Amino acid sequence: MTIMTKQHVVTFVAKQGILIAFVLFMVGFAIANQRFIAMDNILGVVRSSAIIGVMALGVTFVVIGGNLDLSVGSMMSFSTIVVLDLHDKVGPAMAIPIMFALTLLLGAFIGFLVGYLKLNSLIVTLGMLSAIHGLTLTWSGGQNMDIADKSGTWFSFFGQDRLLGIPVPILVFGLLAVVLSLLLSKTAFGRQVYAVGGNGQAATFSGIPRARIVFLTYLVSSFCVATAGLLQASRSLGSQNTVGQGLELTVLAAVILGGASLLGGSGTVFKTVIGVLILGFIQNGLLLVGLDFYVQYMVTWAIIILAVWLDVAAKRGRLWSPIA
Amino acid sequence: MTDPKPVLRLRDIVKTFPGVRALDGVSFDVRAGEVHALMGENGAGKSTLMKVLGGVLAPNEGQIFIGEDPVVMTSPKQAKAMGVMFIHQELSLADELSVAENIFLGELPLKSFGRVDWDKLYADTDRILETLNVGFDAKTRVGDLSIANQQMVEIGRALTVDPRAVIFDEPTASLTDAEKVVLFNVIADLQARGVGIIYISHRMEEIFKITDRISVLRDGQYSGTLNTAETNEDEVTQLMIGRSLDLSRNASHHQMGNVALEVRGLSCGRLFEDVSFDVRQGEVLGFYGLVGAGRTEIAETIFGLRTPSAGQILLNGQEVQITSPIDAIKLGISLVPEDRKDQGLVLGMNCKDNMSLPQVGRLTKGPFVSQGAEIAIFDKYRDKLDIRTPGWRQAVGNLSGGNQQKIVIGKWLSMQPEVLIVDEPTRGIDVGSKSEIHNLIRDLAAQGFAVIVISSEMPEVLHVSDRIVAMFAGRVMREFTSEEVTEDNLIQAISGIKEQGPAGHAAASHGIGQDKALT
């Protein structure tokens, strides 16, 4: 029974492939550059991954529910610009809740289109990527947005301060990860998200309100985007209109790397966090070993494709197969 | 008649997977011009054996002979080149392409510069279609064909080469009786041309009608070959499961309760019209009819998945409005759907989560789902329904068809419904599980549930029902008590033939509608 057949080995390698590759990368980077495993570098990586991470948490819900969200990058720019603009107009205490409300409204709109009108999520969120960008530019008049008095506001707390020695963005990311992990794995709502993404028809036959569940996944996603926008705005206290541009792909990459299936129904918050960290450390490592920043775009996507391949290989027990 | 030479022989085939001997020394041969049934319960090794034969899986031991020559099958393409053709259970056709393109997919006749030789393609295809005697032509879009005709296209694929052996895997699963006749004619044709046929099916009736010999697998082992003419269903069943299956009539002897569900004049567009019936507590009401007669649609309407265009639904004498499954569930109606993989289960989810799915919102402790309550439900119905699974963590996709079906039934029983509707309770599951599910349905009625069973298998309907509603083209033709029903009058009713004998009350009260359906 305990003999490892070739199929066992393939399945094991494929299942744990991403972790194995990750460990190999880390060891390689650590040998190449001692700084890689220094505490301040590690904290730095987690901290800079926090914004991507927070968005990835929300997209995890959408993806498990069987849909996509390509609008998160564009929506994050919107949140950032809005909260910065309102900061000087109504004060940070009012700016933050208004920004959250507006972002949730966008999420609700997408959720309505995808959930209740049953439109294809790829098309809807691709369209919203562009539409929200237009909305952001209209709001800002195309100008960069800056807080007038950068040193005199407590607003910088979320992006720049530390609590108990840990950067606040990491705490926010960690706290949100725990809360959303509980929501997804322990509540009835979470279970219903898995059911709707795993087999929507069976969910309907089980009396699950499919449209409402999909709608709610987009609300969760937009809440996360608003949080990410807050962290971003608070960190830089000023921003371009395009601050979140392209992040939707990085976020999606982290979610897939974590092992969520794009077909829906599988994935966990914890795995997404792992995916986020893998991406963060690999990008950091590439920089530290002296590779050009632009190389990370290529390497990241090579890793994603490897991850998807290994996932498929694990399911069929061999690396290559003539039949599906 | 001299014993015809085998076209195909398998000798001592062994195939192991980690932890399992899926095939344990199976030998099997097919003669030219015979129809050879391959039977066995789900998991007995039929599919594995066919995959070995088709070059999809490599055997660990054993030898395949085609004619007299030993061969090693390395790919499906090679199997085809050797004249071994498969007609798959699940159709693998491209809906958007024409019949001709589908039949010659991957080997379209070409002219110079890689251009398709359409004239030759259509001519070749029409020649094949002629032998199949079908009513469509080479240019028809496959997506526009009925399932039965799509199956014909699939068979047409097998005829592009000169086949020596053709394997049919559950070919009649979605065919009506009339369509089956056409299929059987095609099989007879192939037989007359000296092709060896392997016919995989669970349906005894067909097996006895068209096959010459029957080979049976049990738990990966070869358990015997019988001459069809010299055996009977009992003997085959015993080879398959080691005991026989009881399909005797089985009307209830216990007292029936009040009318639990009554349907009056229910219509839904053109799917079904003016349907009336009732079912009492403790009663099993069977629905029998051809595919497309409107039975499933009635169930879906009662369950809130379709909106009726007319009529009333009454539960315990009270008229109710059901606009969604959520309403139906609240009112105590459960539906075990027709298609367990698409409608009944989330295959990637574990057993426990699937079973508690409709009530997961109620099983909470504080904000969270109570895993203890879920496991309690799972354990209860695992014991009650004898579900065989290593544990609740198992993904239902890994269970056998029979156990999957029991999970779906358990899921709906755990809702403690007033009315349980079961659509095709034993579709695609093996003989042993079938009889367990039949007993279960009888038991549920004895416990006072009102049960509606929709089935396309006549022995099943006759076996489990106290009363039977016969449907044809969206209308109730007649309602039978278990005393009046015979196979003959039931077949007549579902074929739309107006019967002469004493009418059941449904037919009597809807006599006018019945006439309309026939004109």
Side-chain angles (χ1 to χ4, degrees):
Chain A
M1 261 322 281
T2 53
I3 306 161
M4 288 282 275
T5 65
K6 192 177 153 205
Q7 202 171 12
H8 273 128
V9 176
V10 169
T11 307
F12 176 79
V13 169
K15 267 192 174 154
Q16 310 301 333
I18 287 302
L19 271 180
I20 296 169
F22 181 52
V23 170
L24 291 178
F25 259 109
M26 298 291 272
V27 171
F29 287 143
I31 292 167
N33 189 332
Q34 294 291 316
R35 240 193 71 67
F36 185 66
I37 46 171
M39 195 59 198
D40 66 326
N41 185 57
I42 291 175
L43 272 185
V45 171
V46 180
R47 184 187 139 130
S48 62
S49 302
I51 288 174
I52 295 286
V54 166
M55 289 197 276
L57 297 176
V59 171
T60 302
F61 278 72
V62 174
V63 169
I64 292 174
N67 294 297
L68 286 174
D69 193 346
L70 295 179
S71 68
V72 291
S74 174
M75 202 188 286
M76 194 271 254
S77 304
F78 173 81
S79 305
T80 308
I81 292 294
V82 165
V83 78
L84 287 172
D85 182 44
L86 292 176
H87 179 278
D88 286 1
K89 289 179 178 156
V90 299
M94 285 300 291
I96 295 171
I98 293 174
M99 177 275 276
F100 267 80
L102 291 174
T103 310
L104 284 169
L105 210 58
L106 290 176
F109 182 57
I110 297 173
F112 171 75
L113 295 178
V114 178
Y116 290 95
L117 297 191
K118 301 192 168 48
L119 305 183
N120 181 293
S121 67
L122 179 75
I123 305 298
V124 168
T125 59
L126 204 55
M128 287 301 281
L129 184 160
S130 176
I132 296 173
H133 184 54
L135 189 63
T136 310
L137 288 169
T138 308
W139 186 294
S140 66
Q143 302 299 308
N144 288 352
M145 203 59 79
D146 279 288
I147 287 177
D149 180 11
K150 291 194 179 179
S151 54
T153 176
W154 56 265
F155 184 72
S156 62
F157 167 79
F158 304 103
Q160 299 178 10
D161 283 6
R162 284 171 181 251
L163 216 59
L164 309 166
I166 305 169
V168 174
I170 296 182
L171 290 176
V172 171
F173 177 34
L175 184 69
L176 203 56
V178 170
V179 171
L180 292 181
S181 181
L182 288 174
L183 180 64
L184 188 58
S185 65
K186 299 285 181 206
T187 68
F189 166 66
R191 185 74 57 74
Q192 290 169 336
V193 173
Y194 280 104
V196 165
N199 184 346
Q201 209 186 348
T204 303
F205 272 77
S206 298
I208 292 173
R210 197 166 154 187
R212 186 160 83 213
I213 299 298
V214 169
F215 174 80
L216 289 173
T217 62
Y218 280 100
L219 271 196
V220 171
S221 180
S222 60
F223 178 83
C224 291
V225 169
T227 309
L230 175 65
L231 296 180
Q232 177 64 40
S234 166
R235 180 163 138 191
S236 54
L237 300 180
S239 175
Q240 301 177 330
N241 289 284
T242 53
V243 60
Q245 199 169 54
L247 290 188
E248 57 280 340
L249 289 186
T250 317
V251 165
L252 195 58
V255 174
I256 298 170
L257 202 53
S261 163
L262 282 186
L263 300 175
S266 76
T268 66
V269 166
F270 176 73
K271 284 180 177 171
T272 292
V273 171
I274 299 290
V276 168
L277 294 180
I278 290 177
L279 271 190
F281 277 105
I282 285 176
Q283 291 178 358
N284 173 255
L286 292 173
L287 287 177
L288 285 184
V289 298
L291 282 170
D292 200 62
F293 174 77
Y294 306 116
V295 173
Q296 64 158 308
Y297 289 111
M298 293 180 275
V299 173
T300 303
W301 281 93
I303 292 168
I304 303 305
I305 288 167
L306 181 72
V308 173
W309 178 32
L310 289 174
D311 181 45
V312 174
K315 283 190 185 118
R316 65 181 171 217
R318 37 177 152 170
L319 291 174
W320 182 85
S321 163
I323 52 165
Chain B
M1 184 169 108
T2 55
D3 222 19
K5 289 211 176 93
V7 287
L8 184 71
R9 282 184 295 154
L10 300 168
R11 283 287 165 269
D12 306 317
I13 302 288
V14 175
K15 176 68 196 173
T16 59
F17 295 113
V20 204
R21 272 176 100 78
L23 291 175
D24 196 357
V26 174
S27 298
F28 172 74
D29 59 57
V30 186
R31 297 175 193 150
E34 80 163 339
V35 179
H36 195 142
L38 182 61
M39 299 193 75
E41 295 192 273
N42 288 343
K46 295 176 311 240
S47 311
T48 310
L49 188 65
M50 291 305 110
K51 280 180 182 160
V52 166
L53 185 53
V56 177
L57 292 173
N60 301 69
E61 288 170 39
Q63 183 64 56
I64 302 172
F65 296 88
I66 293 198
E68 293 301 314
D69 313 319
V71 294
V72 179
M73 294 285 192
T74 53
S75 70
K77 204 171 171 180
Q78 194 206 353
K80 190 173 178 182
M82 302 237 179
V84 179
M85 304 298 300
F86 284 83
I87 313 296
H88 289 286
Q89 188 176 358
E90 268 128 38
L91 299 171
S92 50
L93 300 172
D95 280 356
E96 294 300 327
L97 298 183
S98 70
V99 168
E101 288 165 292
N102 267 289
I103 285 182
F104 285 93
L105 203 64
E107 47 204 23
L108 296 174
L110 297 180
K111 296 193 283 191
S112 55
F113 302 110
R115 290 170 302 150
V116 175
D117 188 345
W118 293 104
D119 293 341
K120 180 167 161 41
L121 175 65
Y122 290 134
D124 288 353
T125 305
D126 279 331
R127 204 167 310 126
I128 289 171
L129 294 180
E130 213 167 289
T131 65
L132 292 174
N133 202 8
V134 292
F136 55 88
D137 70 12
K139 293 180 187 170
T140 315
R141 184 177 156 272
V142 162
D144 294 334
L145 297 175
S146 68
I147 298 287
N149 280 331
Q150 290 186 7
Q151 191 132 29
M152 289 297 158
V153 175
E154 188 96 7
I155 294 170
R157 270 186 185 173
L159 303 180
T160 57
V161 294
D162 212 6
R164 305 177 73 164
V166 179
I167 296 140
F168 288 87
D169 189 1
E170 294 275 4
T172 55
S174 44
L175 300 189
T176 63
D177 286 341
E179 292 164 342
K180 280 180 202 167
V181 173
V182 178
L183 174 75
F184 294 158
N185 285 338
V186 170
I187 290 177
D189 254 18
L190 287 170
Q191 213 179 341
R193 286 161 57 179
V195 177
I197 313 262
I198 300 178
Y199 191 86
I200 302 174
S201 176
H202 285 305
R203 302 190 182 193
M204 290 283 187
E205 215 183 301
E206 294 167 10
I207 297 277
F208 277 89
K209 203 159 158 188
I210 67 164
T211 68
D212 301 304
R213 290 193 296 163
I214 302 170
S215 286
V216 179
L217 296 182
R218 184 161 91 211
D219 298 332
Q221 291 180 337
Y222 170 74
S223 60
T225 299
L226 303 164
N227 283 324
T228 310
E230 296 156 16
T231 183
N232 55 40
E233 294 193 12
D234 253 8
E235 201 178 357
V236 176
T237 309
Q238 282 192 18
L239 271 187
M240 285 166 67
I241 60 174
R243 60 196 159 82
S244 52
L245 178 70
D246 173 28
L247 271 181
S248 57
R249 299 289 179 82
N250 215 340
S252 296
H253 301 297
H254 57 266
Q255 279 290 303
M256 307 261 177
N258 298 324
V259 172
L261 173 76
E262 187 180 349
V263 168
R264 284 189 202 150
L266 198 66
S267 302
C268 182
R270 312 182 67 168
L271 293 169
F272 59 86
E273 283 176 85
D274 196 17
V275 168
S276 301
F277 62 87
D278 59 43
V279 54
R280 293 175 174 276
Q281 291 161 353
E283 184 181 38
V284 180
L285 179 67
F287 269 80
Y288 188 64
L290 298 172
V291 173
R295 298 164 302 159
T296 296
E297 290 77 6
I298 292 174
E300 288 176 353
T301 306
I302 296 171
F303 197 61
L305 289 157
R306 294 177 188 274
T307 312
S309 47
Q312 295 168 299
I313 299 171
L314 294 88
L315 269 177
N316 299 319
Q318 298 280 312
E319 187 175 353
V320 290
Q321 295 299 326
I322 302 171
T323 57
S324 72
I326 302 170
D327 291 347
I329 290 167
K330 272 192 199 136
L331 290 165
I333 300 171
S334 282
L335 171 65
V336 174
E338 183 180 19
D339 184 332
R340 80 179 152 265
K341 285 191 171 141
D342 282 347
Q343 302 166 337
L345 296 166
V346 184
L347 292 176
M349 266 191 172
N350 68 40
C351 298
K352 176 205 75 167
D353 291 0
N354 264 291
M355 209 181 260
S356 62
L357 198 54
Q359 53 181 326
V360 69
R362 297 201 307 232
L363 298 173
T364 49
K365 212 164 120 188
F368 301 133
V369 176
S370 160
Q371 179 155 297
E374 286 187 294
I375 292 173
I377 288 178
F378 173 76
D379 283 346
K380 181 174 167 193
Y381 288 94
R382 183 194 54 199
D383 296 345
K384 201 167 179 172
L385 309 182
D386 191 23
I387 299 171
R388 275 163 240 161
T389 155
W392 60 261
R393 287 184 179 81
Q394 189 73 17
V396 290
N398 297 336
L399 302 183
S400 71
N403 281 313
Q404 286 183 355
Q405 185 72 350
K406 288 182 192 171
I407 297 266
V408 186
I409 294 175
K411 158 172 150 178
W412 289 110
L413 281 186
S414 71
M415 301 300 291
Q416 304 186 312
E418 307 241 350
V419 178
L420 177 68
I421 307 173
V422 192
D423 196 353
E424 299 291 357
T426 63
R427 173 171 289 178
I429 69 180
D430 57 67
V431 186
S433 308
K434 240 180 200 181
S435 95
E436 282 177 26
I437 287 174
H438 291 159
N439 291 338
L440 182 71
I441 289 171
R442 297 298 326 163
D443 285 351
L444 291 173
Q447 287 163 35
F449 286 98
V451 186
I452 295 176
V453 171
I454 300 171
S455 175
S456 300
E457 292 184 40
M458 187 185 288
E460 179 167 280
V461 175
L462 292 173
H463 177 54
V464 302
S465 311
D466 295 312
R467 274 187 300 143
I468 298 173
V469 173
M471 289 199 62
F472 171 73
R475 288 181 177 272
V476 171
M477 296 305 287
R478 187 178 163 186
E479 194 179 298
F480 297 92
T481 64
S482 61
E483 289 84 34
E484 27 184 55
V485 69
T486 65
E487 295 196 10
D488 285 345
N489 61 19
L490 191 51
I491 286 198
Q492 285 189 350
I494 65 148
S495 314
I497 298 168
K498 205 175 175 187
E499 31 82 27
Q500 281 90 38
H505 86 254
S509 57
H510 299 292
I512 302 163
Q514 193 179 334
D515 284 334
K516 214 159 75 189
L518 290 170
T519 46

